[in-house]
């Protein structure tokens, strides 16, 4: 039997002491066990007009890694990786439509930076809500959804059996750089019953018109004979865009209307140029004289360098514009009166 010498006894004692005391030292000096590794984000989705909660709305992170449905009280909850950054005293978070919360720079790549929401009947969120630095369960994220507005109605075509589907165009009023503009806001075609619907509209001012449509009814159409069609009609029954009624829509409002275009005779129109045309692309606009706006149309025929199309009786302004480094433009007033129009010519000048 061997006996331990004094030095060996000391080494064994130190080894055993280190083995049993190591976990205690680690537990006392470590910090990862003192706090959770994740945060819980609480929030609610509300109607921006009524401020009522919106149930069954889809809430998701902009990186598409997190998603949840709101309950019947509009509430949602996410568990996300904990933010590692220290709080900042000068930052603030805009939540929903006004509430502010302190934020900090996020340094955790696994943590979502923002949330948004959507639901049928509401407009898409313009700007996602920043949640990257919310670390306290007491902080409640509010996401506001604006209800969409609608314009619905019927177009009544005399004698139609439902097979004719006419197109409508919507314009929205805007002010840019101090000037008023009417911008295209959508196109739809009528259903078999003549009904139509413009949806997902923000609040604002609008104008509606039906687009031109030639009558191709096989029972009445005669090749080589007189052509008929439906000129554009501007709600409620105006002859041009300028005198059309303005529809004022509030958020979530529905506006109903009925329009009845009138069939008229259409005649061929051919307008030439006094210049030699060297570009294959020319934009052509046409409107009732003195009332610029959309609705009527003519096109450019590159083969014989002329503006061609069909128009009903009336006096019109025709504008032609070329593009490129040496852009040119020209305008001409023409009158269609009971027959084809041919012969007038547009002079293009540097634009």
């Amino acid at each position: 039997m061997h006996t331990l010498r004094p030095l060996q006894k000391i080494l064994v004692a130190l080894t055993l002491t280190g083995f049993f005391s190591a976990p205690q030292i680690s537990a006392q000096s470590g910090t990862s066990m003192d706090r959770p590794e994740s945060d819980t984000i609480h929030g609610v989705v509300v109607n921006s007009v009524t401020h009522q909660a919106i149930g069954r709305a889809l809430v998701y992170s902009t990186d598409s890694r997190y998603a949840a449905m709101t309950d019947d009280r509009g509430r949602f909850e996410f568990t996300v990786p904990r933010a590692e950054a220290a709080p900042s005293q000068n930052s603030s978070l805009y939540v929903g439509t006004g509430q502010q919360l302190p934020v900090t720079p996020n340094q955790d790549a696994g943590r979502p930076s923002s949330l948004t929401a959507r639901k049928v009947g509401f407009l898409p969120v313009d700007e996602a809500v920043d949640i990257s630095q919310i670390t306290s369960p007491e902080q409640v994220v509010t996401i506001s959804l604006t209800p969409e507005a609608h314009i619905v109605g019927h177009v009544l075509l005399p004698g139609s059996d439902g097979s004719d589907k006419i197109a409508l165009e919507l314009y929205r009023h805007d002010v840019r750089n101090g000037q008023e503009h009417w911008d295209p806001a959508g196109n739809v075609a009528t259903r078999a019953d003549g009904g139509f619907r413009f949806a997902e509209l923000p609040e604002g001012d609008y104008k509606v018109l039906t687009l031109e449509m030639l009558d191709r009814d096989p029972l009445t159409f005669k090749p080589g004979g007189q052509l008929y069609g439906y000129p554009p009609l501007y709600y409620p029954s105006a002859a041009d865009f300028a005198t059309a009624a303005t529809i004022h829509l509030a958020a979530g409002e529905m506006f109903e209307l009925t329009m009845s275009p009138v069939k008229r005779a259409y005649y061929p129109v051919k307008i030439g140029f006094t210049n030699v045309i060297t570009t294959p692309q020319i934009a052509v606009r046409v409107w009732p004289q003195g009332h610029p706006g959309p609705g009527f149309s003519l096109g450019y025929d590159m083969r014989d360098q002329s503006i061609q199309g069909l128009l009903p009786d009336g006096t019109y302004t025709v504008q032609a514009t070329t593009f490129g480094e040496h852009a040119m433009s020209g305008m001409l007033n023409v009158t269609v009166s009971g027959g084809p129009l041919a012969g007038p010519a547009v002079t293009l000048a540097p634009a």
Side-chain angles (χ1 to χ4, degrees):
M1 179 176 180
H2 296 283
T3 58
L4 296 175
R5 287 177 292 181
L7 179 59
Q8 290 176 321
K9 292 181 179 180
I10 294 173
L11 292 175
V12 171
L14 289 175
T15 302
L16 293 175
T17 301
F19 178 81
F20 288 109
S21 63
Q24 299 175 7
I25 295 173
S26 175
Q28 293 174 357
S29 61
T31 59
S32 61
M33 297 179 63
D34 292 337
R35 69 175 194 172
E37 296 180 353
S38 61
D39 292 324
T40 301
I41 305 297
H42 298 275
V44 62
V45 178
V46 299
N47 185 314
S48 66
V49 177
T50 65
H51 305 293
Q52 294 178 337
I54 301 175
R56 305 304 297 168
L58 175 63
V59 181
Y60 57 98
S61 60
T62 52
D63 59 13
S64 300
R65 290 186 298 167
Y66 296 84
M69 299 294 292
T70 60
D71 60 17
D72 57 354
R73 299 174 63 182
R75 299 173 302 184
F76 65 88
E77 180 179 299
F78 288 101
T79 299
V80 299
R82 186 174 182 83
E84 299 296 338
S88 170
Q89 299 180 351
N90 299 322
S91 300
S92 62
L93 165 65
Y94 288 87
V95 180
T97 57
Q99 183 183 0
Q100 296 185 18
L101 299 175
V103 301
T104 59
N106 180 37
Q107 297 177 356
D108 193 335
R111 182 184 176 93
S113 61
S114 57
L115 293 178
T116 187
R118 68 168 181 255
K119 184 176 181 177
V120 174
F122 293 85
L123 299 175
V125 176
D126 290 333
E127 185 175 353
V129 177
D130 185 358
I131 54 94
S132 59
Q133 306 307 320
I134 292 182
T135 58
S136 171
E138 287 74 29
Q139 296 172 308
V140 178
V141 178
T142 299
I143 302 177
S144 296
L145 294 181
T146 301
E148 62 179 340
H150 303 78
I151 296 177
V152 300
H154 284 80
V155 178
L156 306 177
L157 296 178
S160 174
D161 60 359
S163 61
D164 295 324
K165 295 178 175 59
I166 194 168
L168 296 96
E169 195 164 34
L170 182 68
Y171 282 78
R172 186 173 187 269
H173 182 259
D174 190 18
V175 177
R176 296 190 299 272
N177 299 323
Q179 295 187 350
E180 295 187 353
H181 299 268
W182 285 95
D183 299 324
N187 290 272
V188 297
T190 56
R191 302 183 295 270
D193 63 353
F196 68 89
R197 177 174 179 262
F198 288 104
E200 297 185 358
L201 302 178
E203 63 179 342
D205 293 336
Y206 296 86
K207 288 189 177 186
V208 177
L209 68 143
T210 61
L211 298 181
E212 287 182 296
M213 185 181 75
L214 289 179
D215 182 12
R216 298 294 187 182
D217 188 339
L219 297 179
T220 58
F221 177 71
K222 297 180 180 180
Q226 176 63 56
L227 292 173
Y228 291 89
Y230 296 94
L233 181 65
Y234 307 83
Y235 176 78
S237 56
D240 55 69
F241 189 84
T243 58
T246 299
I247 300 171
H248 305 281
L249 281 183
E253 183 180 1
M254 177 180 291
F255 187 88
E256 297 187 38
L257 58 87
T258 300
M259 303 175 71
S260 301
V262 177
K263 186 186 296 186
R264 294 177 58 188
Y266 267 71
Y267 303 98
V269 172
K270 185 174 182 178
I271 300 172
F273 292 90
T274 60
N275 312 66
V276 175
I277 306 301
T278 59
T279 175
Q281 295 184 344
I282 294 182
V284 179
R285 296 179 60 206
V286 56
W287 59 81
Q289 185 178 12
H291 300 280
F296 291 93
S297 63
L298 293 174
Y300 173 63
D301 189 333
M302 184 174 59
R303 292 170 300 179
D304 59 4
Q305 297 188 347
S306 64
I307 297 171
Q308 297 187 26
L310 297 164
L311 289 173
D313 285 349
T315 300
Y316 304 90
T317 298
V318 179
Q319 180 187 58
T321 305
T322 66
F323 302 95
E325 183 179 357
H326 304 290
M328 304 182 75
S329 181
M331 299 176 67
L332 177 71
N333 292 327
V334 298
T335 299
V336 178
S337 180
L341 173 68
V346 179
T347 299
L348 299 179

